[in-house]
Amino acid sequence: TPLPAYNERAAGQKRIVRLSQNPLFCPLPPWASKLMAATCRETHIHAIEPPVGGEGEYLTITGKGFGPPRLDQDHSFGCVFRVAQSEEEIFIEATDRTENTLRCRAPALDAFAASHRTNAAGGFAVTVNVAVKNEREDVHRLISRFGELFVYK
């Protein structure tokens, strides 16, 4: 019998899905790598300028593999500011983007939990990663495995 979840395709019916040439970002969802043997696009951050600054500062992140020229209206590229040894993350939508650069504003320092804002000797450091946000579901996913440090002064 047809199943609506399978778009009227009977359960168990063979389906061929080709994922080559698609802009899938690493890490792949488990279903894509296990079921489809899909590969992914690696996103790497090479540098962040300036590496030290204040809230509202425009940061330029350079690297490679920052994604296709356009995303659909439900998705946006941006920067995720992460506090070390914490699950706290702040997504900031990019103001400009190319295949190799991304430009974001540093969030206000008081946007981070007060317990994390204590200043270390060199300032309050966060890791900046590249991410894609699903606006409809209000969730983001990191597309860069490693980030770069930004230090608030």
Side-chain angles (χ1 to χ4, degrees):
T1 54
L3 301 173
Y6 288 94
N7 297 324
E8 303 303 325
R9 177 179 57 85
Q13 182 179 340
K14 185 176 180 178
R15 180 195 286 194
I16 297 172
V17 177
R18 291 183 178 85
L19 296 176
S20 63
Q21 304 291 323
N22 284 308
L24 298 175
F25 294 105
C26 299
L28 285 173
W31 61 265
S33 58
K34 290 178 184 172
L35 299 176
M36 316 291 180
T39 59
C40 60
R41 166 190 211 117
E42 287 284 341
T43 300
H44 298 281
I45 296 174
H46 300 299
I48 185 169
E49 286 296 326
V52 177
E55 49 191 53
E57 183 100 34
Y58 280 97
L59 308 178
T60 301
I61 298 162
T62 56
K64 71 172 194 163
F66 287 177
R70 291 185 196 92
L71 292 176
D72 61 47
Q73 65 185 13
D74 293 332
H75 293 83
S76 60
F77 276 95
C79 301
V80 170
F81 294 78
R82 305 176 78 187
V83 178
Q85 299 171 345
S86 164
E87 294 186 19
E88 186 175 7
E89 297 182 339
I90 298 174
F91 177 87
I92 302 293
E93 188 170 346
T95 57
D96 297 300
R97 182 182 66 84
T98 68
E99 176 70 21
N100 300 312
T101 62
L102 196 68
R103 191 166 159 88
C104 299
R105 285 185 89 165
L109 196 53
D110 63 2
F112 296 98
S115 62
H116 298 300
R117 287 199 312 263
T118 55
N119 237 1
F124 176 64
V126 293
T127 303
V128 182
N129 286 80
V130 178
V132 173
K133 182 175 183 180
N134 181 327
E135 302 291 345
R136 187 177 296 180
E137 297 175 13
D138 195 30
V139 295
H140 64 266
R141 186 168 73 93
L142 300 180
I143 61 171
S144 58
R145 182 175 296 167
F146 301 106
E148 286 287 323
L149 281 182
F150 175 73
V151 179
Y152 283 89
K153 283 291 187 178

